[in-house]
Amino acid sequence: MFSLKNTQWGSLVICWRAVASMAWSVLLLLPTTALFVLLSRFSLFHPILWMSECLSLLTSASAIFSFILLCGVVLMVGFFNLEYYTVVPSIACSKIALLGQVLHPRQFVHSLVHCIMGVVVAWCCAFTIGGRYRSLGHPCTQDESGPEMCLNEYHLVLLLAGAFIGYSHSLVGVVYNMNYVSFHTMQQYKYLRFKGALPLVVKASAVQALYCLRSFLLLYFFMGYAPRAWICKTLDLSINSSIHSLDSVSSLLDLSLLYHLWISGTFLLLTWYITVLLFRIFVTEVYSFPVQSTFTEDAHQCLPKVITGTQPMILKFLALQDLALLSQHSPSRRLEVFSLSQPGGHPHIWTALSKECLSLLSDLTERLVAHHDTVATNGRAKSQSTGSNKRSTTSSEVTSVGMEDMKTPRPSALIRTPGSVFLRSSVGAGLRTPLTTPFTPDLDSPFSSPALRRLTGPLEPQGALSPGFSSIQSPHVMRRGPKLWSASTDSQLNGSPPPSPGPAPSPSQAQLKPSFLVTFLQNRKDQVKNFLAKRMLIMYLFNKLPEASSQALFADSQVHIWALQGLSHLVAASFSEDQYGIVQTTLPTILSTLLLLQEAVDRHFKLPHTSSKPGHCSCSMGDDSYKTLRFALRSTLKTAVYRITATFGGHLQ
Amino acid sequence: MHHWTKYVRVVEILRIVCLLQASVVYETFLTDAHLRFEANLATFYRIRKDSPALNLYFPRESLKPHSRQESSSKSAFRDHCETLYTRSAGAWRDAGLSGLLNEIANSSAEVPKWLGVSSSCVLALLRWVSSFHSSLFPHLTLSSEEMTAEFSQVLDWSDCAVRGFAWHPHTQKCAVALSDDSIKIYNPKSATTPTLKHRLQRSVAALQWKPLCASALAVACHNCLLVWHVDPTSLSTRPSSGCAQVLSHPGHSPVTSVAWSPNGPLLVSASPRDTALLVWDVAVESCVPLHRVGGGGVTYLSWSPDGSRVLAATPSSLFRVWETRMWTCERWPSLKGRCQSGCWSPDGSRLLFTVQGETVIYALTFTDNPGVPLMMSGGPKAATVVADLSETTLNTPDGDIMVGGEIQSLAWDPRGERLAVHVKGDAGAGRPAMIAVFKTQISPAFKLLPCGFVQGEAGTEPRLMQFNPNYQHGAQLTVCWSNGKITHVPFCFMSAGNPQPGLGGSPSFPLTQGRPADYNNQTLYTELIS
């Protein structure tokens, strides 16, 4: 009931913002259209005629009709933005996943509607440009048969170009995550942000239209006859044989046609991009949540309540952003956070906020550790594969010996990370995170004696010795496996532990002594995989994209960045502002969580597949800031730890 | 406001001669109640013992300046038999449209006549437009090196052996930029002194360490920004150029000033050629340009220590104060000339700045909340003159000396108790460049008292100064001299804000105002509290 109310209210907030952005984009359509009219009818040698023609066109009734059509398209685009936006980008880890995204029914609807809207906009453009583009049919006199309607191919090309650009907009949107809404580090007023981004958007739409046009012309050159024949057949138009058809090199290189196609494409993309831009700006605007409410009816709108909610996701993002900002900029709201509840004197607000932030951060730590386990297991398999087959069988024996030790899981085995000195203070928080994989590959190597293994067995985390790992697979497949399939399949295949807290259940007897049938089946499976892996196309489709898994891990890290900023600023401010000392009680937990995360992040950046520097992407309109979130997280984490230690200094000892 | 020399004459002038070792200055002439002589004497000996040996000396002869010019060496290697097309493409890539036109106009033998003529015409038109533009903003006619020299905070930048100096905000570690385009990092606790060199690290104008970070150092270079990540635990003396992030933006060169936000990941950078102030998110290497009309560029940046505002000076008689929450700005058209330098009080409430061509220090007071945007709250309406440093003659035991003049830079110590003013001087008129030190008080009312001068060895003049942010016993001013020496001048005092317990419990009586007889307590400038 409560969460429902919260969800409704949250959706309402977002809806109003979207509506405001749509209203602005409709308003902005007016100058854009006027500019388009001026540019599309541009004639250098008759400036007065040009201006007067444009003015008369802009005030005519038919222009108003097409303007209303354009408004409808913009509203539709705005609606699709609202419906398809996301704050956590979906990152395809392989080509096949990307293909799946493109062919998804939801995406299909998106593409289809954008295709149709592209045609509508192109029709408006054709109408506005006038002249030879005005209508689909024109009267012509073929030989003998008298006057009849012929196909106007210029009009058709313009419509098809609109459809193509509409479709490619939708497609490029998937590939470059154009529906991803990113939040900015710097806060600016909406007008200034729009003003700053407008030149980039204009440039991006012009360039994108140029690229689209190139592809479209190529396509039309080879396939143009098909839609032409189809249109002629359905609309009962005849082809004027006295005019050359447009799918030839000479007629496609008509400069005026190219210019009109390009300017129409730019206009189409510009109006849509402006809608997207306004939507992003409006939706990511800072929302100031009340820290505590005076009335119980509004309790669901308070920061501590919103921050713990999950639906809609963007509300949680806005709440965390607000937390990060209030912790930096407003002392009065900080005082509310540090205040005690009136009857009872409990620091409810601070507890709720810090708990949520800490759980977010420890979630990330768990995720990182689990990922590292998967990759590290993979690395060990690689080292085994260099050895002979015999060795791998010995290793399986060895591991099974080790597993017998593992049959009685001990919780103490979980808390052991060499070099982690913070664990003493963090037993409470540390137990939640499975601290697997200390970097001890030599213990798991096939060369270590069983006796040694037995000695170290109880201390050994389960990641290395999980049951399925040691089955009699061919080492080559084991090496290739995680690369071939997506991450979720890996973890089952290699049997690395799921990222669940607490000790894993002890392996069943059947898994311990694999029967003949199981071995046989596994052998078959490996053979099939071996076979598939040799085919180039399959390899191409299933190969993991570099860095994609790392990007996917940190896809929602904006939340963690704000949580880190908020926590560290609040803790730093509490040094002088916290009258009741409520922050002190959570300080050890906060520090240990931060340091555990620091450890996990450091280890993640040492993995071979993660680059240590942000790369640059020249993609114009799609927001690629999700690719660099992990770097932002790393530096924010470091700064947060330094901020707390620099503020408290010697008091921490 | 009184004329400063009236008091400079009457108070005992202390000439501080900086020797090779750190010398400690005693402000015995101040009968401030907080200043306890005995306590200071105790700290004096302690400082002498544990002050780090960071007195550095860089003789100019030992530094070979870079004579390498990217364009000059290129012509020696370029194959002149290239076709016109290749050369044009190269010119387009290197120097843009004007380079392309220049190339076409120069090779008139190979191109059709109309093309050569038209490109010459367009080139002439471009030059005419740009000359018109630079008549509006005369600084645009300068070359990059001259521009850096003009707008740098270092006095006589092009002649200087030490071109930049930066203390680390949290540890006793400093970075020194030298005229051979290298940067050395000194840490008294470590034996290694890493030397940073990078292909793009040319004509370093400024450098600053990132706050709340152990290792990041931002360097303003000729045509980019470099952010070095120098691992303090590394034993390497030559960190590879892979340790540096290169941040560049088209049109943003030369970079003359950088400033880190005191509590965040942001870095602002300024170039006199670029009208936009760039705000970098260094971790992700992205930037947001903040364009505003007017000014013709940005020359100097200073972030207030509380992080709420940024001073941005322009080459024309205008400067801006940005508020960092929503990044709106306030314009301050100053009348006489461009803003040369500025510094913030530690609480970010006061800005002192100087104007080129004038010998006075102005102050602006910001009383609003840092959270509220500037436009809506009542910021200051006008700047007040707090000190006048015009030329005057002082009678000293060694004879009369001329002091005063135009101001090169300002520095305020992190506790807000000492203000160092770098006076340019005029060697021809017998006025040496020197550093005047003032005693300041920020709360409850802003006060400024003359304190003394810092002078170097005979024949040397100060070029650059900075306060050490980690000095325990008061304030320590680091000065880079024209002969390549770097010395540290400590000022020992006890902070008025938080007197240390156990060092005397006598009640502190406030400075009396309006008693002309008691010159010791008389201030040069006192803010009127209404």
Side-chain angles (χ1 to χ4, degrees):
Chain A
M1 152 67 204
F2 182 77
S3 66
L4 189 70
K5 203 167 147 195
N6 202 358
T7 310
Q8 278 172 357
W9 167 76
S11 313
L12 208 65
V13 170
I14 304 304
C15 272
W16 273 115
R17 289 181 162 203
V19 166
S21 80
M22 279 185 235
W24 273 108
S25 26
V26 167
L27 276 182
L28 280 172
L29 193 59
L30 208 63
T32 324
T33 316
L35 194 69
F36 170 70
V37 169
L38 282 178
L39 285 177
S40 65
R41 303 190 142 217
F42 180 72
S43 63
L44 185 63
F45 300 109
H46 307 285
I48 299 166
L49 188 69
W50 166 52
M51 292 304 281
S52 61
E53 260 186 7
C54 289
L55 276 179
S56 65
L57 178 73
L58 282 173
T59 48
S60 67
S62 50
I64 290 172
F65 171 68
S66 67
F67 183 73
I68 290 171
L69 262 185
L70 286 177
C71 288
V73 168
V74 164
L75 289 180
M76 200 69 190
V77 172
F79 173 74
F80 268 86
N81 286 338
L82 175 63
E83 208 47 38
Y84 280 74
Y85 84 95
T86 171
V87 283
V88 181
S90 59
I91 293 161
C93 284
S94 61
K95 293 273 193 315
I96 193 84
L98 196 61
L99 204 64
Q101 281 183 8
V102 172
L103 297 178
H104 194 273
R106 201 172 132 83
Q107 180 56 33
F108 179 73
V109 172
H110 188 269
S111 300
L112 190 70
V113 173
H114 275 82
C115 211
I116 294 168
M117 289 193 297
V119 173
V120 172
V121 175
W123 184 84
C124 292
C125 289
F127 180 79
T128 318
I129 299 168
R132 56 180 180 179
Y133 303 97
R134 185 165 281 257
S135 62
L136 192 57
H138 65 101
C140 58
T141 44
Q142 299 282 51
D143 29 282
E144 291 132 33
S145 57
E148 56 176 328
M149 290 300 279
C150 289
L151 177 73
N152 182 5
E153 209 179 343
Y154 290 103
H155 187 87
L156 179 67
V157 165
L158 203 55
L159 292 192
L160 287 177
F164 181 82
I165 293 177
Y167 179 72
S168 66
H169 171 79
S170 165
L171 192 70
V172 167
V174 181
V175 177
Y176 291 116
N177 267 317
M178 213 182 277
N179 59 348
Y180 167 59
V181 173
S182 71
F183 290 80
H184 289 259
T185 330
M186 279 174 62
Q187 302 304 317
Q188 273 182 287
Y189 285 110
K190 293 196 287 282
Y191 164 68
L192 294 171
R193 178 162 289 170
F194 178 74
K195 204 180 79 177
L198 192 62
L200 298 177
V201 168
V202 172
K203 193 181 154 209
S205 51
V207 170
Q208 186 65 29
L210 212 59
Y211 281 118
C212 282
L213 190 62
R214 181 198 60 187
S215 322
F216 170 72
L217 288 179
L218 274 178
L219 199 68
Y220 191 78
F221 181 71
F222 290 111
M223 319 270 288
Y225 62 90
R228 198 170 54 214
W230 182 71
I231 288 280
C232 282
K233 207 175 163 193
T234 36
L235 295 182
D236 200 17
L237 295 169
S238 57
I239 290 175
N240 194 347
S241 49
S242 61
I243 305 171
H244 288 292
S245 64
L246 274 180
D247 54 352
S248 63
V249 177
S250 57
S251 44
L252 276 183
L253 283 181
D254 179 3
L255 269 185
S256 150
L257 174 71
L258 289 183
Y259 174 71
H260 282 130
L261 282 177
W262 174 70
I263 199 103
S264 308
T266 309
F267 171 68
L268 184 152
L269 286 178
L270 183 65
T271 50
W272 293 5
Y273 282 166
I274 284 180
T275 317
V276 174
L277 176 71
L278 282 171
F279 177 77
R280 282 183 193 163
I281 290 174
F282 270 82
V283 135
T284 58
E285 199 200 352
V286 177
Y287 190 95
S288 186
F289 297 88
V291 176
Q292 54 186 351
S293 71
T294 37
F295 305 107
T296 42
E297 300 93 73
D298 300 340
H300 64 281
Q301 298 182 9
C302 288
L303 194 59
K305 289 286 183 302
V306 178
I307 238 173
T308 46
T310 50
Q311 283 301 322
M313 197 60 177
I314 190 159
L315 216 59
K316 194 186 178 79
F317 273 66
L318 286 173
L320 277 158
Q321 186 186 28
D322 190 37
L323 175 70
L325 286 177
L326 88 87
S327 67
Q328 279 181 55
H329 293 296
S330 58
S332 56
R333 293 178 74 200
R334 274 202 300 261
L335 274 187
E336 285 185 62
V337 172
F338 296 139
S339 67
L340 299 179
S341 68
Q342 204 37 268
H346 296 289
H348 286 309
I349 302 174
W350 165 252
T351 316
L353 293 178
S354 60
K355 204 187 216 172
E356 180 61 23
C357 289
L358 288 178
S359 80
L360 279 171
L361 295 178
S362 47
D363 271 356
L364 181 68
T365 314
E366 277 174 23
R367 224 191 298 164
L368 286 178
V369 168
H371 174 78
H372 192 268
D373 282 354
T374 325
V375 178
T377 320
N378 193 17
R380 270 195 285 274
K382 206 173 203 169
S383 70
Q384 271 181 353
S385 74
T386 52
S388 67
N389 235 348
K390 193 179 155 198
R391 266 184 198 154
S392 80
T393 47
T394 51
S395 97
S396 77
E397 286 167 17
V398 163
T399 333
S400 65
V401 171
M403 272 187 311
E404 276 163 13
D405 288 331
M406 290 298 294
K407 263 194 266 179
T408 51
R410 288 160 221 203
S412 65
L414 285 176
I415 357 170
R416 178 188 163 270
T417 308
S420 135
V421 286
F422 320 109
L423 280 169
R424 243 169 286 128
S425 63
S426 72
V427 176
L431 269 177
R432 294 193 53 201
T433 58
L435 271 173
T436 45
T437 338
F439 216 68
T440 51
D442 49 337
L443 281 180
D444 312 314
S445 76
F447 307 103
S448 61
S449 71
L452 177 68
R453 188 162 288 277
R454 218 171 265 128
L455 274 175
T456 55
L459 282 174
E460 196 58 38
Q462 289 152 353
L465 298 175
S466 38
F469 174 73
S470 56
S471 55
I472 317 168
Q473 290 177 347
S474 133
H476 299 282
V477 177
M478 280 167 56
R479 179 183 53 184
R480 208 180 282 123
K483 283 185 184 162
L484 192 57
W485 308 101
S486 65
S488 60
T489 342
D490 288 349
S491 55
Q492 283 157 19
L493 198 79
N494 276 337
S496 62
S500 63
S506 56
S508 68
Q509 206 60 32
Q511 276 172 312
L512 278 177
K513 288 174 183 148
S515 66
F516 176 73
L517 191 68
V518 172
T519 321
F520 176 77
L521 278 180
Q522 262 175 353
N523 273 336
R524 286 286 124 196
K525 206 166 97 188
D526 299 341
Q527 277 175 5
V528 169
K529 267 168 59 187
N530 255 336
F531 174 77
L532 286 179
K534 278 176 193 147
R535 300 294 169 275
M536 280 305 282
L537 181 69
I538 306 275
M539 278 304 284
Y540 173 76
L541 285 178
F542 283 86
N543 249 342
K544 274 203 170 173
L545 297 173
E547 298 207 4
S549 60
S550 179
Q551 282 171 18
L553 263 181
F554 290 95
D556 61 341
S557 277
Q558 188 64 62
V559 170
H560 306 116
I561 290 172
W562 283 325
L564 283 169
Q565 283 178 349
L567 269 186
S568 64
H569 273 114
L570 280 177
V571 168
S574 78
F575 190 68
S576 56
E577 290 175 15
D578 180 12
Q579 300 167 7
Y580 309 106
I582 54 175
V583 175
Q584 283 176 31
T585 53
T586 17
L587 190 57
T589 327
I590 292 175
L591 271 180
S592 64
T593 313
L594 291 190
L595 292 170
L596 284 177
L597 182 59
Q598 171 81 56
E599 207 178 355
V601 167
D602 276 351
R603 223 190 289 154
H604 178 82
F605 274 93
K606 280 179 189 146
L607 288 179
H609 285 300
T610 51
S611 65
S612 58
K613 275 186 186 177
H616 286 289
C617 171
S618 56
C619 169
S620 45
M621 194 58 199
D623 203 326
D624 62 332
S625 59
Y626 62 90
K627 289 183 184 163
T628 48
L629 273 179
R630 53 196 161 156
F631 304 106
L633 179 88
R634 180 174 61 169
S635 98
T636 313
L637 180 57
K638 227 177 238 171
T639 311
V641 175
Y642 271 110
R643 183 175 295 132
I644 294 176
T645 48
T647 313
F648 282 84
H651 300 276
L652 280 179
Q653 287 163 0
Chain B
M1 227 293 303
H2 310 271
H3 196 267
W4 70 311
T5 50
K6 205 157 78 187
Y7 301 101
V8 170
R9 283 214 190 93
V10 286
V11 296
E12 181 186 344
I13 308 267
L14 213 79
R15 293 191 55 202
I16 302 150
V17 180
C18 287
L19 304 172
L20 269 172
Q21 271 112 33
S23 56
V24 177
V25 182
Y26 274 103
E27 296 157 358
T28 48
F29 51 90
L30 290 168
T31 57
D32 196 347
H34 308 302
L35 200 87
R36 311 211 138 261
F37 184 66
E38 299 88 342
N40 270 337
L41 206 62
T43 37
F44 172 74
Y45 290 108
R46 211 162 63 232
I47 296 160
R48 289 304 292 257
K49 257 192 293 180
D50 63 19
S51 71
L54 268 180
N55 293 297
L56 308 166
Y57 180 42
F58 302 100
R60 197 172 309 157
E61 302 76 45
S62 69
L63 302 169
K64 275 186 231 150
H66 261 316
S67 58
R68 179 188 51 161
Q69 292 273 325
E70 295 265 320
S71 53
S72 65
S73 60
K74 191 181 277 179
S75 64
F77 291 101
R78 186 188 279 172
D79 184 7
H80 282 278
C81 304
E82 283 173 337
T83 61
L84 175 71
Y85 176 74
T86 328
R87 270 183 287 142
S88 306
W92 169 259
R93 201 177 54 242
D94 291 343
L97 182 65
S98 61
L100 176 69
L101 290 172
N102 209 2
E103 186 68 50
I104 293 174
N106 285 343
S107 50
S108 52
E110 300 167 58
V111 295
K113 197 166 180 234
W114 62 270
L115 190 61
V117 170
S118 61
S119 63
S120 323
C121 287
V122 174
L123 201 60
L125 192 71
L126 270 182
R127 278 183 188 147
W128 182 74
V129 169
S130 72
S131 73
F132 178 69
H133 188 221
S134 52
S135 72
L136 273 179
F137 300 111
H139 71 276
L140 291 179
T141 53
L142 300 175
S143 73
S144 293
E145 291 263 334
E146 288 167 347
M147 211 181 262
T148 311
E150 173 76 22
F151 298 116
S152 168
Q153 292 291 297
V154 186
L155 182 62
D156 203 359
W157 177 86
S158 42
D159 178 49
C160 238
V162 177
R163 287 180 164 179
F165 184 90
W167 278 109
H168 194 279
H170 305 293
T171 57
Q172 291 287 348
K173 181 161 80 165
C174 63
V176 185
L178 301 173
S179 60
D180 63 349
D181 291 340
S182 67
I183 292 177
K184 285 189 190 318
I185 293 174
Y186 291 92
N187 187 349
K189 289 178 197 143
S190 131
T192 54
T193 54
T195 306
L196 311 179
K197 284 188 180 179
H198 196 281
R199 188 172 55 84
L200 296 169
Q201 186 170 289
R202 286 186 292 136
S203 53
V204 175
L207 66 168
Q208 196 183 9
W209 290 94
K210 181 179 179 182
L212 300 176
C213 182
S215 60
L217 174 74
V219 183
C221 301
H222 178 67
N223 50 10
C224 66
L225 271 170
L226 290 177
V227 179
W228 286 94
H229 294 270
V230 192
D231 188 0
T233 56
S234 161
L235 292 175
S236 152
T237 52
R238 275 292 300 271
S240 77
S241 51
C243 299
Q245 281 177 293
V246 182
L247 308 174
S248 64
H249 191 257
H252 198 72
S253 89
V255 185
T256 53
S257 188
V258 284
W260 285 98
S261 71
N263 52 13
L266 299 179
L267 173 75
V268 289
S269 72
S271 164
R273 282 218 180 98
D274 193 358
T275 52
L277 168 73
L278 295 192
V279 185
W280 294 91
D281 189 347
V282 174
V284 303
E285 297 186 4
S286 71
C287 77
V288 179
L290 296 171
H291 286 278
R292 288 294 180 276
V293 177
V298 185
T299 55
Y300 174 70
L301 296 166
S302 171
W303 208 307
S304 72
D306 67 336
S308 61
R309 289 186 186 82
V310 180
L311 163 77
T314 69
S316 56
S317 59
L318 165 80
F319 69 92
R320 294 190 178 88
V321 179
W322 291 86
E323 154 287 313
T324 59
R325 182 159 184 202
M326 296 305 280
W327 290 96
T328 53
C329 70
E330 231 178 33
R331 280 166 62 99
W332 284 92
S334 50
L335 291 175
K336 288 281 175 57
R338 66 179 166 86
C339 174
Q340 164 67 30
S341 178
C343 66
W344 292 88
S345 64
D347 59 351
S349 66
R350 268 183 193 78
L351 168 67
L352 300 186
F353 67 93
T354 63
V355 169
Q356 196 192 32
E358 286 193 64
T359 56
V360 293
I361 303 173
Y362 293 94
L364 284 177
T365 312
F366 297 90
T367 47
D368 54 344
N369 281 341
V372 184
L374 278 184
M375 298 298 183
M376 298 171 188
S377 66
K381 298 287 178 288
T384 41
V385 178
V386 292
D388 185 351
L389 278 79
S390 49
E391 297 106 69
T392 186
T393 314
L394 290 179
N395 301 313
T396 58
D398 302 352
D400 290 0
I401 53 163
M402 298 265 286
V403 292
E406 228 176 277
I407 297 161
Q408 174 70 21
S409 63
L410 299 171
W412 211 331
D413 92 295
R415 299 188 189 192
E417 307 239 353
R418 294 291 178 278
L419 174 74
V421 181
H422 188 181
V423 181
K424 237 179 217 173
D426 186 355
R431 276 183 292 122
M434 57 165 57
I435 292 172
V437 181
F438 292 84
K439 197 170 175 295
T440 57
Q441 187 189 351
I442 296 170
S443 63
F446 178 55
K447 281 178 192 170
L448 203 64
L449 293 98
C451 178
F453 293 98
V454 177
Q455 281 191 347
E457 294 169 26
T460 62
E461 55 177 17
R463 289 285 164 86
L464 176 62
M465 60 176 190
Q466 194 182 27
F467 274 105
N468 183 354
N470 293 300
Y471 192 67
Q472 305 297 323
H473 316 285
Q476 189 187 35
L477 183 70
T478 300
V479 186
C480 306
W481 300 94
S482 56
N483 58 357
K485 278 180 187 163
I486 297 177
T487 54
H488 310 280
V489 188
F491 300 89
C492 283
F493 58 86
M494 285 181 50
S495 181
N498 43 348
Q500 288 172 18
L503 285 175
S506 67
S508 61
F509 46 88
L511 294 180
T512 49
Q513 293 161 23
R515 269 201 302 162
D518 188 2
Y519 59 76
N520 277 338
N521 283 339
Q522 208 160 33
T523 51
L524 183 63
Y525 173 80
T526 308
E527 191 181 52
L528 291 172
I529 310 170
S530 55

